[in-house]
Amino acid sequence: MEILVHFGATPVTLITNGFEDTIDIDKLTSIDYTNLFGEAVTVSALLNKVGMLRAEAEKDMSEKKLYRDIYEADVKKKWRWEANRGSGKFSIEGCEIKLSEKALDEALLLDETYQKLSLEYIQAQKNFSQLDSLNWAIQDKSKKLNNLLKPITPQEFLQELVEGEVNSFFIKKPKF
């Protein structure tokens, strides 16, 4: 997966192998005590992957909010314009309503498009919150790993490292 970001006017492409379609969050957030060193060397990359997903979810949530806010402003502007031209009243489905902020808010809540946009925004908020929670859990895992592992030599590290999948990465020990 490639992610294009801009730092000022400079475009930079970030590359990650991302996740597969299914993510076992219990497995990602728990510590495999049989391979602490594998956990330690992959947890930062895992945190980065989840951080990228979290950033995408936050962007999606912000876009949904923006679309809803734009729609709200546009509809209220239309109703205000109509009320200015129609003796202080605007109409919805043939009913005339006296212009007030409360009336505008109530009328907006009954608008089907606004309801749909609001539900999309709520879903985006939920997605972001779930990824934010996962991000915090993996940060906590990283801190716990730092406290569990004592400093060791590179030779000891390689002896303790276990080959296999850890934190969505496959670890392969070098052959000497």
Side-chain angles (χ1 to χ4, degrees), residues 86-134:
S87 67
K89 295 181 179 178
F90 64 98
S91 62
I92 298 176
E93 298 175 5
C95 295
E96 283 194 337
I97 301 167
K98 185 177 179 192
L99 179 66
S100 71
E101 283 304 311
K102 185 171 171 58
L104 287 173
D105 289 341
E106 288 175 359
L108 187 66
L109 283 175
L110 297 174
D111 183 88
E112 288 182 16
T113 301
Y114 182 78
Q115 291 171 5
K116 178 180 172 274
L117 291 170
S118 292
L119 289 172
E120 288 174 1
Y121 174 57
I122 290 167
Q123 181 64 44
Q125 282 179 309
K126 176 185 165 228
N127 293 343
F128 171 75
S129 293
Q130 289 172 329
L131 284 169
D132 191 48
S133 177
L134 180 59

mmCIF file of all heavy atoms in Angstrom, residues 86-134:
data_model
loop_
_atom_site.group_PDB
_atom_site.id
_atom_site.type_symbol
_atom_site.label_atom_id
_atom_site.label_comp_id
_atom_site.label_asym_id
_atom_site.label_seq_id
_atom_site.Cartn_x
_atom_site.Cartn_y
_atom_site.Cartn_z
ATOM 1 N N GLY A 86 -40.382 35.816 1.873
ATOM 2 C CA GLY A 86 -41.763 35.377 2.131
ATOM 3 C C GLY A 86 -42.278 35.754 3.498
ATOM 4 O O GLY A 86 -42.795 34.896 4.207
ATOM 5 N N SER A 87 -42.135 36.974 3.885
ATOM 6 C CA SER A 87 -42.661 37.529 5.143
ATOM 7 C C SER A 87 -42.247 36.741 6.390
ATOM 8 O O SER A 87 -43.057 36.465 7.270
ATOM 9 C CB SER A 87 -44.193 37.674 5.071
ATOM 10 O OG SER A 87 -44.815 36.396 5.008
ATOM 11 N N GLY A 88 -40.976 36.342 6.420
ATOM 12 C CA GLY A 88 -40.425 35.701 7.619
ATOM 13 C C GLY A 88 -40.754 34.235 7.780
ATOM 14 O O GLY A 88 -40.577 33.681 8.853
ATOM 15 N N LYS A 89 -41.222 33.593 6.693
ATOM 16 C CA LYS A 89 -41.563 32.163 6.780
ATOM 17 C C LYS A 89 -40.923 31.399 5.632
ATOM 18 O O LYS A 89 -40.716 31.929 4.550
ATOM 19 C CB LYS A 89 -43.085 31.989 6.735
ATOM 20 C CG LYS A 89 -43.790 32.598 7.919
ATOM 21 C CD LYS A 89 -45.273 32.369 7.830
ATOM 22 C CE LYS A 89 -45.956 32.987 9.053
ATOM 23 N NZ LYS A 89 -47.388 32.829 9.001
ATOM 24 N N PHE A 90 -40.615 30.137 5.927
ATOM 25 C CA PHE A 90 -40.144 29.236 4.870
ATOM 26 C C PHE A 90 -41.052 28.009 4.882
ATOM 27 O O PHE A 90 -41.776 27.762 5.847
ATOM 28 C CB PHE A 90 -38.669 28.856 5.056
ATOM 29 C CG PHE A 90 -38.361 28.073 6.306
ATOM 30 C CD1 PHE A 90 -38.235 26.686 6.272
ATOM 31 C CD2 PHE A 90 -38.163 28.709 7.531
ATOM 32 C CE1 PHE A 90 -37.937 25.966 7.413
ATOM 33 C CE2 PHE A 90 -37.857 27.994 8.674
ATOM 34 C CZ PHE A 90 -37.743 26.615 8.626
ATOM 35 N N SER A 91 -41.059 27.272 3.782
ATOM 36 C CA SER A 91 -41.986 26.137 3.710
ATOM 37 C C SER A 91 -41.247 24.816 3.507
ATOM 38 O O SER A 91 -40.215 24.752 2.830
ATOM 39 C CB SER A 91 -42.997 26.341 2.586
ATOM 40 O OG SER A 91 -42.324 26.397 1.348
ATOM 41 N N ILE A 92 -41.806 23.812 4.139
ATOM 42 C CA ILE A 92 -41.315 22.436 3.981
ATOM 43 C C ILE A 92 -42.530 21.555 3.760
ATOM 44 O O ILE A 92 -43.463 21.573 4.574
ATOM 45 C CB ILE A 92 -40.549 21.960 5.230
ATOM 46 C CG1 ILE A 92 -39.317 22.826 5.458
ATOM 47 C CG2 ILE A 92 -40.143 20.504 5.092
ATOM 48 C CD1 ILE A 92 -38.564 22.498 6.717
ATOM 49 N N GLU A 93 -42.533 20.834 2.669
ATOM 50 C CA GLU A 93 -43.639 19.921 2.316
ATOM 51 C C GLU A 93 -44.996 20.631 2.416
ATOM 52 O O GLU A 93 -45.955 20.089 2.953
ATOM 53 C CB GLU A 93 -43.603 18.672 3.207
ATOM 54 C CG GLU A 93 -42.334 17.859 3.043
ATOM 55 C CD GLU A 93 -42.256 16.684 4.010
ATOM 56 O OE1 GLU A 93 -43.220 16.428 4.761
ATOM 57 O OE2 GLU A 93 -41.216 16.025 4.015
ATOM 58 N N GLY A 94 -45.037 21.854 1.941
ATOM 59 C CA GLY A 94 -46.284 22.614 1.915
ATOM 60 C C GLY A 94 -46.651 23.302 3.220
ATOM 61 O O GLY A 94 -47.643 24.010 3.280
ATOM 62 N N CYS A 95 -45.885 23.108 4.278
ATOM 63 C CA CYS A 95 -46.159 23.764 5.568
ATOM 64 C C CYS A 95 -45.291 24.998 5.701
ATOM 65 O O CYS A 95 -44.089 24.944 5.449
ATOM 66 C CB CYS A 95 -45.861 22.819 6.734
ATOM 67 S SG CYS A 95 -46.904 21.380 6.801
ATOM 68 N N GLU A 96 -45.918 26.112 6.104
ATOM 69 C CA GLU A 96 -45.155 27.329 6.335
ATOM 70 C C GLU A 96 -44.679 27.363 7.783
ATOM 71 O O GLU A 96 -45.446 27.071 8.707
ATOM 72 C CB GLU A 96 -46.008 28.567 6.031
ATOM 73 C CG GLU A 96 -46.154 28.821 4.556
ATOM 74 C CD GLU A 96 -46.695 30.213 4.265
ATOM 75 O OE1 GLU A 96 -47.340 30.808 5.147
ATOM 76 O OE2 GLU A 96 -46.464 30.679 3.142
ATOM 77 N N ILE A 97 -43.410 27.721 7.960
ATOM 78 C CA ILE A 97 -42.796 27.739 9.285
ATOM 79 C C ILE A 97 -42.159 29.093 9.485
ATOM 80 O O ILE A 97 -41.433 29.593 8.617
ATOM 81 C CB ILE A 97 -41.731 26.629 9.405
ATOM 82 C CG1 ILE A 97 -42.376 25.266 9.150
ATOM 83 C CG2 ILE A 97 -41.054 26.667 10.762
ATOM 84 C CD1 ILE A 97 -41.407 24.144 8.938
ATOM 85 N N LYS A 98 -42.416 29.689 10.663
ATOM 86 C CA LYS A 98 -41.832 30.985 10.994
ATOM 87 C C LYS A 98 -40.333 30.795 11.233
ATOM 88 O O LYS A 98 -39.903 29.899 11.956
ATOM 89 C CB LYS A 98 -42.495 31.574 12.231
ATOM 90 C CG LYS A 98 -42.007 32.965 12.552
ATOM 91 C CD LYS A 98 -42.739 33.548 13.741
ATOM 92 C CE LYS A 98 -42.149 34.927 13.991
ATOM 93 N NZ LYS A 98 -42.529 35.494 15.231
ATOM 94 N N LEU A 99 -39.548 31.675 10.632
ATOM 95 C CA LEU A 99 -38.096 31.579 10.719
ATOM 96 C C LEU A 99 -37.599 31.851 12.140
ATOM 97 O O LEU A 99 -37.919 32.881 12.732
ATOM 98 C CB LEU A 99 -37.436 32.574 9.757
ATOM 99 C CG LEU A 99 -35.905 32.588 9.757
ATOM 100 C CD1 LEU A 99 -35.362 31.263 9.236
ATOM 101 C CD2 LEU A 99 -35.370 33.737 8.927
ATOM 102 N N SER A 100 -36.839 30.898 12.685
ATOM 103 C CA SER A 100 -36.101 31.054 13.936
ATOM 104 C C SER A 100 -34.990 29.992 13.901
ATOM 105 O O SER A 100 -35.063 29.030 13.124
ATOM 106 C CB SER A 100 -36.994 30.844 15.164
ATOM 107 O OG SER A 100 -37.352 29.488 15.289
ATOM 108 N N GLU A 101 -33.978 30.182 14.717
ATOM 109 C CA GLU A 101 -32.882 29.199 14.732
ATOM 110 C C GLU A 101 -33.396 27.834 15.172
ATOM 111 O O GLU A 101 -33.006 26.811 14.620
ATOM 112 C CB GLU A 101 -31.734 29.667 15.639
ATOM 113 C CG GLU A 101 -30.856 30.737 15.019
ATOM 114 C CD GLU A 101 -30.251 30.340 13.677
ATOM 115 O OE1 GLU A 101 -29.682 29.238 13.543
ATOM 116 O OE2 GLU A 101 -30.373 31.137 12.722
ATOM 117 N N LYS A 102 -34.278 27.808 16.149
ATOM 118 C CA LYS A 102 -34.846 26.549 16.624
ATOM 119 C C LYS A 102 -35.638 25.870 15.510
ATOM 120 O O LYS A 102 -35.528 24.658 15.305
ATOM 121 C CB LYS A 102 -35.725 26.792 17.847
ATOM 122 C CG LYS A 102 -36.264 25.525 18.472
ATOM 123 C CD LYS A 102 -36.929 25.828 19.798
ATOM 124 C CE LYS A 102 -37.679 24.699 20.407
ATOM 125 N NZ LYS A 102 -37.121 23.493 20.714
ATOM 126 N N ALA A 103 -36.435 26.645 14.761
ATOM 127 C CA ALA A 103 -37.221 26.089 13.659
ATOM 128 C C ALA A 103 -36.307 25.534 12.569
ATOM 129 O O ALA A 103 -36.575 24.465 12.008
ATOM 130 C CB ALA A 103 -38.159 27.147 13.087
ATOM 131 N N LEU A 104 -35.222 26.266 12.278
ATOM 132 C CA LEU A 104 -34.268 25.779 11.278
ATOM 133 C C LEU A 104 -33.643 24.456 11.721
ATOM 134 O O LEU A 104 -33.528 23.516 10.931
ATOM 135 C CB LEU A 104 -33.168 26.814 11.033
ATOM 136 C CG LEU A 104 -33.547 28.053 10.240
ATOM 137 C CD1 LEU A 104 -32.397 29.057 10.237
ATOM 138 C CD2 LEU A 104 -33.947 27.697 8.819
ATOM 139 N N ASP A 105 -33.237 24.382 12.993
ATOM 140 C CA ASP A 105 -32.607 23.162 13.517
ATOM 141 C C ASP A 105 -33.577 21.982 13.481
ATOM 142 O O ASP A 105 -33.201 20.871 13.089
ATOM 143 C CB ASP A 105 -32.106 23.384 14.950
ATOM 144 C CG ASP A 105 -30.900 24.313 15.007
ATOM 145 O OD1 ASP A 105 -30.235 24.509 13.968
ATOM 146 O OD2 ASP A 105 -30.630 24.847 16.096
ATOM 147 N N GLU A 106 -34.819 22.221 13.887
ATOM 148 C CA GLU A 106 -35.821 21.152 13.884
ATOM 149 C C GLU A 106 -36.127 20.686 12.465
ATOM 150 O O GLU A 106 -36.254 19.489 12.202
ATOM 151 C CB GLU A 106 -37.093 21.611 14.585
ATOM 152 C CG GLU A 106 -36.932 21.723 16.095
ATOM 153 C CD GLU A 106 -38.160 22.289 16.786
ATOM 154 O OE1 GLU A 106 -39.163 22.626 16.105
ATOM 155 O OE2 GLU A 106 -38.114 22.407 18.027
ATOM 156 N N ALA A 107 -36.272 21.629 11.550
ATOM 157 C CA ALA A 107 -36.549 21.283 10.155
ATOM 158 C C ALA A 107 -35.378 20.487 9.564
ATOM 159 O O ALA A 107 -35.585 19.521 8.819
ATOM 160 C CB ALA A 107 -36.803 22.541 9.339
ATOM 161 N N LEU A 108 -34.177 20.883 9.923
ATOM 162 C CA LEU A 108 -32.991 20.183 9.426
ATOM 163 C C LEU A 108 -32.963 18.739 9.920
ATOM 164 O O LEU A 108 -32.640 17.820 9.158
ATOM 165 C CB LEU A 108 -31.726 20.923 9.861
ATOM 166 C CG LEU A 108 -30.428 20.405 9.272
ATOM 167 C CD1 LEU A 108 -30.396 20.629 7.767
ATOM 168 C CD2 LEU A 108 -29.250 21.095 9.925
ATOM 169 N N LEU A 109 -33.306 18.521 11.174
ATOM 170 C CA LEU A 109 -33.314 17.157 11.727
ATOM 171 C C LEU A 109 -34.310 16.251 11.012
ATOM 172 O O LEU A 109 -34.123 15.033 10.967
ATOM 173 C CB LEU A 109 -33.626 17.189 13.221
ATOM 174 C CG LEU A 109 -32.482 17.602 14.127
ATOM 175 C CD1 LEU A 109 -32.951 17.703 15.571
ATOM 176 C CD2 LEU A 109 -31.317 16.632 14.022
ATOM 177 N N LEU A 110 -35.355 16.831 10.449
ATOM 178 C CA LEU A 110 -36.346 16.042 9.725
ATOM 179 C C LEU A 110 -35.957 15.809 8.262
ATOM 180 O O LEU A 110 -36.608 15.012 7.582
ATOM 181 C CB LEU A 110 -37.713 16.719 9.806
ATOM 182 C CG LEU A 110 -38.286 16.825 11.225
ATOM 183 C CD1 LEU A 110 -39.574 17.646 11.211
ATOM 184 C CD2 LEU A 110 -38.525 15.448 11.816
ATOM 185 N N ASP A 111 -34.924 16.460 7.793
ATOM 186 C CA ASP A 111 -34.469 16.333 6.405
ATOM 187 C C ASP A 111 -33.770 14.979 6.219
ATOM 188 O O ASP A 111 -32.812 14.658 6.923
ATOM 189 C CB ASP A 111 -33.509 17.482 6.074
ATOM 190 C CG ASP A 111 -33.066 17.454 4.631
ATOM 191 O OD1 ASP A 111 -33.768 18.041 3.790
ATOM 192 O OD2 ASP A 111 -32.018 16.819 4.356
ATOM 193 N N GLU A 112 -34.241 14.178 5.275
ATOM 194 C CA GLU A 112 -33.707 12.819 5.071
ATOM 195 C C GLU A 112 -32.236 12.817 4.655
ATOM 196 O O GLU A 112 -31.462 11.963 5.090
ATOM 197 C CB GLU A 112 -34.555 12.069 4.046
ATOM 198 C CG GLU A 112 -35.910 11.672 4.584
ATOM 199 C CD GLU A 112 -36.739 10.889 3.581
ATOM 200 O OE1 GLU A 112 -36.187 10.381 2.583
ATOM 201 O OE2 GLU A 112 -37.964 10.786 3.801
ATOM 202 N N THR A 113 -31.848 13.748 3.820
ATOM 203 C CA THR A 113 -30.453 13.806 3.401
ATOM 204 C C THR A 113 -29.550 14.141 4.585
ATOM 205 O O THR A 113 -28.489 13.540 4.762
ATOM 206 C CB THR A 113 -30.259 14.835 2.269
ATOM 207 O OG1 THR A 113 -31.091 14.465 1.163
ATOM 208 C CG2 THR A 113 -28.817 14.890 1.806
ATOM 209 N N TYR A 114 -29.988 15.074 5.414
ATOM 210 C CA TYR A 114 -29.219 15.429 6.611
ATOM 211 C C TYR A 114 -29.113 14.223 7.551
ATOM 212 O O TYR A 114 -28.057 13.962 8.124
ATOM 213 C CB TYR A 114 -29.852 16.617 7.330
ATOM 214 C CG TYR A 114 -29.067 17.060 8.534
ATOM 215 C CD1 TYR A 114 -27.914 17.827 8.405
ATOM 216 C CD2 TYR A 114 -29.458 16.681 9.823
ATOM 217 C CE1 TYR A 114 -27.180 18.220 9.509
ATOM 218 C CE2 TYR A 114 -28.735 17.079 10.932
ATOM 219 C CZ TYR A 114 -27.589 17.840 10.775
ATOM 220 O OH TYR A 114 -26.861 18.220 11.869
ATOM 221 N N GLN A 115 -30.191 13.478 7.702
ATOM 222 C CA GLN A 115 -30.170 12.279 8.546
ATOM 223 C C GLN A 115 -29.166 11.258 8.006
ATOM 224 O O GLN A 115 -28.395 10.667 8.768
ATOM 225 C CB GLN A 115 -31.565 11.649 8.619
ATOM 226 C CG GLN A 115 -32.570 12.476 9.382
ATOM 227 C CD GLN A 115 -33.986 11.928 9.257
ATOM 228 O OE1 GLN A 115 -34.222 10.877 8.678
ATOM 229 N NE2 GLN A 115 -34.950 12.665 9.803
ATOM 230 N N LYS A 116 -29.176 11.065 6.700
ATOM 231 C CA LYS A 116 -28.253 10.109 6.073
ATOM 232 C C LYS A 116 -26.804 10.557 6.292
ATOM 233 O O LYS A 116 -25.941 9.753 6.666
ATOM 234 C CB LYS A 116 -28.559 10.004 4.581
ATOM 235 C CG LYS A 116 -27.641 9.073 3.812
ATOM 236 C CD LYS A 116 -28.026 9.046 2.330
ATOM 237 C CE LYS A 116 -27.033 8.292 1.507
ATOM 238 N NZ LYS A 116 -25.903 9.087 1.065
ATOM 239 N N LEU A 117 -26.529 11.841 6.062
ATOM 240 C CA LEU A 117 -25.174 12.365 6.263
ATOM 241 C C LEU A 117 -24.753 12.262 7.732
ATOM 242 O O LEU A 117 -23.597 11.962 8.035
ATOM 243 C CB LEU A 117 -25.086 13.810 5.776
ATOM 244 C CG LEU A 117 -25.194 14.015 4.266
ATOM 245 C CD1 LEU A 117 -25.335 15.500 3.938
ATOM 246 C CD2 LEU A 117 -24.013 13.414 3.539
ATOM 247 N N SER A 118 -25.673 12.469 8.639
ATOM 248 C CA SER A 118 -25.376 12.369 10.070
ATOM 249 C C SER A 118 -25.060 10.925 10.457
ATOM 250 O O SER A 118 -24.138 10.672 11.239
ATOM 251 C CB SER A 118 -26.543 12.884 10.909
ATOM 252 O OG SER A 118 -26.678 14.271 10.740
ATOM 253 N N LEU A 119 -25.811 9.970 9.916
ATOM 254 C CA LEU A 119 -25.540 8.553 10.205
ATOM 255 C C LEU A 119 -24.185 8.118 9.645
ATOM 256 O O LEU A 119 -23.461 7.345 10.286
ATOM 257 C CB LEU A 119 -26.664 7.671 9.657
ATOM 258 C CG LEU A 119 -27.999 7.778 10.403
ATOM 259 C CD1 LEU A 119 -29.094 7.021 9.665
ATOM 260 C CD2 LEU A 119 -27.856 7.275 11.836
ATOM 261 N N GLU A 120 -23.830 8.629 8.467
ATOM 262 C CA GLU A 120 -22.505 8.323 7.899
ATOM 263 C C GLU A 120 -21.400 8.887 8.781
ATOM 264 O O GLU A 120 -20.376 8.242 9.000
ATOM 265 C CB GLU A 120 -22.398 8.883 6.479
ATOM 266 C CG GLU A 120 -23.230 8.134 5.468
ATOM 267 C CD GLU A 120 -23.226 8.782 4.089
ATOM 268 O OE1 GLU A 120 -22.540 9.829 3.896
ATOM 269 O OE2 GLU A 120 -23.911 8.256 3.195
ATOM 270 N N TYR A 121 -21.615 10.091 9.300
ATOM 271 C CA TYR A 121 -20.643 10.708 10.197
ATOM 272 C C TYR A 121 -20.527 9.915 11.504
ATOM 273 O O TYR A 121 -19.430 9.675 12.002
ATOM 274 C CB TYR A 121 -21.028 12.168 10.468
ATOM 275 C CG TYR A 121 -20.171 12.861 11.488
ATOM 276 C CD1 TYR A 121 -18.792 12.953 11.333
ATOM 277 C CD2 TYR A 121 -20.726 13.415 12.637
ATOM 278 C CE1 TYR A 121 -18.002 13.584 12.279
ATOM 279 C CE2 TYR A 121 -19.946 14.054 13.582
ATOM 280 C CZ TYR A 121 -18.575 14.131 13.398
ATOM 281 O OH TYR A 121 -17.798 14.749 14.336
ATOM 282 N N ILE A 122 -21.642 9.471 12.041
ATOM 283 C CA ILE A 122 -21.632 8.673 13.273
ATOM 284 C C ILE A 122 -20.868 7.369 13.051
ATOM 285 O O ILE A 122 -20.079 6.943 13.904
ATOM 286 C CB ILE A 122 -23.072 8.416 13.764
ATOM 287 C CG1 ILE A 122 -23.678 9.722 14.276
ATOM 288 C CG2 ILE A 122 -23.113 7.325 14.832
ATOM 289 C CD1 ILE A 122 -25.187 9.669 14.488
ATOM 290 N N GLN A 123 -21.074 6.729 11.907
ATOM 291 C CA GLN A 123 -20.346 5.490 11.589
ATOM 292 C C GLN A 123 -18.846 5.773 11.474
ATOM 293 O O GLN A 123 -18.025 4.998 11.956
ATOM 294 C CB GLN A 123 -20.878 4.866 10.289
ATOM 295 C CG GLN A 123 -20.192 3.568 9.899
ATOM 296 C CD GLN A 123 -20.401 2.452 10.897
ATOM 297 O OE1 GLN A 123 -21.502 2.239 11.378
ATOM 298 N NE2 GLN A 123 -19.343 1.732 11.233
ATOM 299 N N ALA A 124 -18.491 6.880 10.850
ATOM 300 C CA ALA A 124 -17.074 7.251 10.724
ATOM 301 C C ALA A 124 -16.465 7.534 12.099
ATOM 302 O O ALA A 124 -15.313 7.170 12.360
ATOM 303 C CB ALA A 124 -16.926 8.459 9.803
ATOM 304 N N GLN A 125 -17.230 8.166 12.988
ATOM 305 C CA GLN A 125 -16.758 8.398 14.360
ATOM 306 C C GLN A 125 -16.501 7.071 15.067
ATOM 307 O O GLN A 125 -15.500 6.911 15.770
ATOM 308 C CB GLN A 125 -17.796 9.189 15.163
ATOM 309 C CG GLN A 125 -17.839 10.653 14.878
ATOM 310 C CD GLN A 125 -18.916 11.335 15.712
ATOM 311 O OE1 GLN A 125 -20.073 10.903 15.744
ATOM 312 N NE2 GLN A 125 -18.541 12.406 16.387
ATOM 313 N N LYS A 126 -17.405 6.121 14.880
ATOM 314 C CA LYS A 126 -17.260 4.796 15.496
ATOM 315 C C LYS A 126 -15.994 4.108 14.979
ATOM 316 O O LYS A 126 -15.200 3.556 15.757
ATOM 317 C CB LYS A 126 -18.485 3.941 15.199
ATOM 318 C CG LYS A 126 -18.385 2.522 15.728
ATOM 319 C CD LYS A 126 -19.589 1.699 15.297
ATOM 320 C CE LYS A 126 -19.301 0.243 15.520
ATOM 321 N NZ LYS A 126 -19.635 -0.567 14.382
ATOM 322 N N ASN A 127 -15.788 4.139 13.667
ATOM 323 C CA ASN A 127 -14.603 3.516 13.080
ATOM 324 C C ASN A 127 -13.326 4.146 13.634
ATOM 325 O O ASN A 127 -12.368 3.448 13.983
ATOM 326 C CB ASN A 127 -14.612 3.641 11.553
ATOM 327 C CG ASN A 127 -15.720 2.839 10.914
ATOM 328 O OD1 ASN A 127 -16.311 1.951 11.525
ATOM 329 N ND2 ASN A 127 -16.032 3.162 9.675
ATOM 330 N N PHE A 128 -13.316 5.462 13.713
ATOM 331 C CA PHE A 128 -12.148 6.157 14.254
ATOM 332 C C PHE A 128 -11.917 5.775 15.708
ATOM 333 O O PHE A 128 -10.794 5.492 16.123
ATOM 334 C CB PHE A 128 -12.304 7.673 14.122
ATOM 335 C CG PHE A 128 -11.233 8.433 14.851
ATOM 336 C CD1 PHE A 128 -9.952 8.495 14.334
ATOM 337 C CD2 PHE A 128 -11.497 9.050 16.056
ATOM 338 C CE1 PHE A 128 -8.940 9.158 15.019
ATOM 339 C CE2 PHE A 128 -10.505 9.728 16.742
ATOM 340 C CZ PHE A 128 -9.226 9.784 16.217
ATOM 341 N N SER A 129 -12.971 5.754 16.502
ATOM 342 C CA SER A 129 -12.841 5.424 17.925
ATOM 343 C C SER A 129 -12.300 4.013 18.120
ATOM 344 O O SER A 129 -11.483 3.769 19.012
ATOM 345 C CB SER A 129 -14.183 5.574 18.635
ATOM 346 O OG SER A 129 -14.573 6.912 18.653
ATOM 347 N N GLN A 130 -12.744 3.079 17.280
ATOM 348 C CA GLN A 130 -12.251 1.708 17.397
ATOM 349 C C GLN A 130 -10.759 1.636 17.066
ATOM 350 O O GLN A 130 -9.991 0.961 17.763
ATOM 351 C CB GLN A 130 -13.050 0.777 16.489
ATOM 352 C CG GLN A 130 -14.455 0.559 16.993
ATOM 353 C CD GLN A 130 -15.323 -0.207 16.022
ATOM 354 O OE1 GLN A 130 -15.164 -0.119 14.795
ATOM 355 N NE2 GLN A 130 -16.281 -0.951 16.548
ATOM 356 N N LEU A 131 -10.331 2.327 16.019
ATOM 357 C CA LEU A 131 -8.914 2.326 15.670
ATOM 358 C C LEU A 131 -8.090 3.102 16.690
ATOM 359 O O LEU A 131 -6.946 2.739 16.981
ATOM 360 C CB LEU A 131 -8.705 2.888 14.268
ATOM 361 C CG LEU A 131 -9.080 1.906 13.162
ATOM 362 C CD1 LEU A 131 -9.103 2.588 11.812
ATOM 363 C CD2 LEU A 131 -8.131 0.722 13.137
ATOM 364 N N ASP A 132 -8.672 4.147 17.256
ATOM 365 C CA ASP A 132 -7.980 4.891 18.307
ATOM 366 C C ASP A 132 -7.764 3.997 19.528
ATOM 367 O O ASP A 132 -6.688 4.000 20.132
ATOM 368 C CB ASP A 132 -8.792 6.134 18.673
ATOM 369 C CG ASP A 132 -8.019 7.093 19.558
ATOM 370 O OD1 ASP A 132 -6.852 7.401 19.231
ATOM 371 O OD2 ASP A 132 -8.585 7.543 20.568
ATOM 372 N N SER A 133 -8.760 3.224 19.873
ATOM 373 C CA SER A 133 -8.647 2.289 20.997
ATOM 374 C C SER A 133 -7.569 1.244 20.726
ATOM 375 O O SER A 133 -6.752 0.929 21.599
ATOM 376 C CB SER A 133 -9.997 1.605 21.231
ATOM 377 O OG SER A 133 -9.896 0.654 22.248
ATOM 378 N N LEU A 134 -7.552 0.709 19.502
ATOM 379 C CA LEU A 134 -6.519 -0.265 19.130
ATOM 380 C C LEU A 134 -5.134 0.377 19.199
ATOM 381 O O LEU A 134 -4.173 -0.235 19.680
ATOM 382 C CB LEU A 134 -6.796 -0.808 17.723
ATOM 383 C CG LEU A 134 -5.811 -1.829 17.174
ATOM 384 C CD1 LEU A 134 -5.737 -3.063 18.065
ATOM 385 C CD2 LEU A 134 -6.200 -2.219 15.746
#
